[in-house]
Amino acid sequence: ITNNGGKIVDVDRWGMRKLAYEIKKMQKGFYVFFRYEADGSVPQKLEKAFQVNESVLRFLTTVPDQTEENQKPSEETSGAPSF
């Protein structure tokens, strides 16, 4: 990400958890959630790197809703993580 001019905003390591279903005969996996800012070509490069890495079982790339991104958290949700 950083090699392509992007910036890692947040990394949340959820740790080892039971998978919802078995993948490649594995029942547990290490979950990581991270947010980054980069130009439009970076997600494709990142996904290609994940696909060839045998350690990565699954991945999901999403784009945050612009309205959510620009809103400030209210007092009720300020302590809760936003996904």
Side-chain angles (χ1 to χ4, degrees):
I1 296 171
T2 56
N3 289 344
N4 289 290
K7 167 177 118 171
I8 297 175
V9 176
D10 184 36
V11 176
D12 190 7
R13 291 172 178 85
W14 294 358
M16 189 66 74
R17 299 200 177 196
K18 185 177 181 195
L19 300 174
Y21 53 90
E22 194 173 283
I23 302 172
K24 297 181 183 177
K25 299 186 180 185
M26 300 185 82
Q27 296 178 350
K28 291 187 177 185
F30 194 90
Y31 284 70
V32 179
F33 175 82
F34 64 96
R35 293 185 313 138
Y36 64 92
E37 296 173 355
D39 68 32
S41 66
V42 172
Q44 184 178 13
K45 293 176 184 176
L46 190 59
E47 288 177 1
K48 185 164 260 190
F50 287 157
Q51 288 171 351
V52 298
N53 186 337
E54 292 183 12
S55 297
V56 178
L57 298 176
R58 292 284 188 272
F59 61 88
L60 177 65
T61 302
T62 61
V63 178
D65 184 14
Q66 292 295 324
T67 57
E68 290 178 14
E69 202 172 274
N70 294 330
Q71 290 178 350
K72 292 186 178 181
S74 66
E75 288 182 23
E76 296 174 3
T77 61
S78 62
S82 64
F83 297 111

